[in-house]
Amino acid sequence: MIKKFIRKILGKAKALDRSQPVVLGPKEHGIDPGLLSSNAVRVTQTLQEAGFKAFVVGGAVRDLLLGVKPKDFDIATNATPEQVKRLFRRAFIIGRRFQIVHVMFGQDLLEVTTFRGASSNEAPKDEHGRVLRDNTFGVQHEDAIRRDFTINAMYYDPASQSVFDYHGGIADIRKKILRIIGVPEARYREDPIRMLRVVRFAARLKFSIDPATSAPIPAMAALIDNVPAARVFDEMLKLLMSGHALACLQQLRKEGLHHGLLPLLDVVLEQPLGIKFVTLALSETDARIHQGKSVSPGFLFASLLWHQVLEKWTAYKMAGELPIPALHLAADDVLESQTEKLALQRKIGSDMRDIWAMQPRFERRVGKAPYRLLEHLRFRAGYDFLLLRCASGEIDADIGEWWTEFYEADSPDRELLLSDKNRMEGGGLATKKRSQRRRSKSKNNSGTSSSEGGE
Ligand code: ATP
Ligand code: MG
């Protein structure tokens, strides 16, 4: 009885001793070695043969445990960046403050990071407690404690096929729980971006959030304002390109994080038409990602902010501006107010403007105008955007259908479409001729296009 009690106490103490990992063999963790990239094995093996410790770490181990093929592999080691660099033919040290090594094999890039040391109290912080620099090297268990979530703090050694778990990550993977390591408030204060990571992982993995991990988020959400805009942008892009953008957005709302994040998004999500538009845009983006198709960030952000542009466009027109200059003024306003918070890169901003500015041109369905629009470099994105506007009920579906026909038609059919003066009334002679021609052609047709704009 006493022995049992002592064993229990010792067991607990061991479980709480975060410097000693729980080690699991292949039978216990069940990772399929076939999901591992041969280059990741090459890197860990080379480092180990040179006498260093080396593991696959972070998201890749999490995905392996979930039976998913990781999209990239990060490696953690006790070798310094210089030592790593010497071992590989194509290796580049990058970053000035905290150096990491990029090891390249053909197109494949692996990020090799030296274990980071325990976070020190002396690390420089901003006035809100965000850590500005803390880049000391350390040992493996210190590296583990600095990672964000228990499920992201595991190490896998391909040679022995063992998983090293310092923070109960395996148990959390099995329970499908996202749990931050350490005291949640302190971890969000050090790096507010972790709040966005909570949302992204919970939505993408379909994990629940440990109550202590989610509780402080609404009260601390405003700290994201102090994070450099470029980092917020990177994280937002990861969230939107995760293949679970819609789920992420819903989770952002649930956690109270959409207020102030994209300054205009909270307004948009409060309007029924706006939310319908954004929902459609994001679910199509998700579908494209799952089909392995490209997605353009410009199109995504243009969609997220369109209803704000619409509102301002109307206001400028009401104030007496002509429609086209009014649209440009509205675009200026929206892009300007976003740039402060989101550091939208110039190329993305100009793509957004192109997509928006094209929209009134779709209304001109006479003469040479539609042909000129077809030649626009970003026609496809503008057209996909137009279809979203139709599908969301913002504009008449007829206009999208007309453009689909025009886009897919051959020259004679295009002329018929243009000369069809009765189309608004629901079909004249030309419409009938056109549909006859289309019917006879449709046997060879491959169907309509998808509707998202990534060229
Ligand atoms: P993904 O599959 O989206 O790449 P990931 O977990 O690999 O997910 P990364 O952003 O690639 O995410 O980060 C790699 C690892 O670095 C994480 O698994 C985590 O251990 C650690 N990490 C990343 N960002 C943070 C952060 N802000 N705070 C603490 N640890 C972090
Ligand atoms: Mg990763």
Side-chain angles (χ1 to χ4, degrees), residues 96-366:
R96 259 185 309 155
R97 287 207 318 258
F98 189 80
Q99 297 182 325
I100 56 174
V101 186
H102 278 177
V103 178
M104 312 278 306
F105 298 104
Q107 290 295 305
D108 198 11
L109 181 148
L110 289 103
E111 221 169 82
V112 183
T113 313
T114 306
F115 294 144
R116 302 178 86 180
S119 198
S120 86
N121 284 335
E122 280 90 66
K125 299 188 179 85
D126 72 4
E127 74 265 35
H128 308 280
R130 186 170 65 86
V131 174
L132 298 173
R133 276 187 308 281
D134 193 5
N135 291 321
T136 46
F137 294 143
V139 292
Q140 191 174 352
H141 74 85
E142 293 171 329
D143 186 84
I145 210 164
R146 289 188 51 157
R147 293 183 178 270
D148 46 8
F149 306 109
T150 60
I151 59 165
N152 281 351
M154 289 181 277
Y155 301 76
Y156 179 67
D157 173 16
S160 66
Q161 294 190 23
S162 313
V163 169
F164 297 77
D165 177 12
Y166 288 87
H167 295 279
I170 289 270
D172 284 344
I173 286 238
R174 289 186 180 145
K175 284 185 275 181
K176 294 189 172 293
I177 287 185
L178 197 66
R179 191 191 313 272
I180 200 158
I181 295 171
V183 179
E185 285 85 350
R187 300 304 309 279
Y188 296 141
R189 203 170 286 287
E190 279 170 8
D191 181 7
I193 285 293
R194 290 175 185 145
M195 292 186 264
L196 294 181
R197 291 176 61 88
V198 170
V199 164
R200 176 156 66 91
F201 290 121
R204 172 172 141 199
L205 304 171
K206 301 196 176 68
F207 274 32
S208 63
I209 307 174
D210 160 56
T213 296
S214 70
I217 292 180
M220 301 187 81
L223 288 178
I224 294 175
D225 289 353
N226 311 311
V227 178
R231 238 191 119 210
V232 180
F233 174 78
D234 283 350
E235 196 55 39
M236 277 303 286
L237 205 57
K238 278 190 185 176
L239 200 142
L240 294 170
M241 303 279 211
S242 65
H244 303 272
L246 189 56
C248 282
L249 204 74
Q250 283 157 349
Q251 191 85 38
L252 278 178
R253 293 187 87 195
K254 204 166 138 200
E255 301 298 328
L257 274 173
H258 67 293
H259 283 287
L261 183 63
L262 276 164
L264 310 169
L265 196 57
D266 41 2
V267 185
V268 171
L269 294 180
E270 247 84 283
Q271 315 158 349
L273 261 185
I275 194 161
K276 186 148 187 227
F277 185 85
V278 170
T279 304
L280 275 172
L282 294 188
S283 56
E284 291 197 0
T285 302
D286 289 344
R288 278 185 74 91
I289 303 248
H290 290 292
Q291 291 157 11
K293 293 185 186 164
S294 67
V295 168
S296 97
F299 189 94
L300 258 172
F301 284 104
S303 313
L304 287 176
L305 300 170
W306 171 242
H307 274 257
Q308 191 68 26
V309 174
L310 267 184
E311 201 175 282
K312 288 183 185 280
W313 187 16
T314 311
Y316 276 116
K317 281 191 285 192
M318 300 273 277
E321 282 293 346
L322 290 168
I324 303 295
L327 178 56
H328 281 279
L329 286 170
D332 286 345
D333 284 359
V334 171
L335 286 172
E336 205 172 298
S337 60
Q338 281 305 312
T339 314
E340 274 172 37
K341 176 96 35 128
L342 259 192
L344 283 173
Q345 291 141 16
R346 195 180 300 219
K347 164 84 173 72
I348 296 180
S350 83
D351 286 353
M352 292 163 74
R353 186 188 291 279
D354 275 356
I355 291 170
W356 292 335
M358 237 185 278
Q359 296 311 305
R361 294 179 61 186
F362 284 103
E363 279 159 38
R364 295 201 56 220
R365 288 177 282 165
V366 286

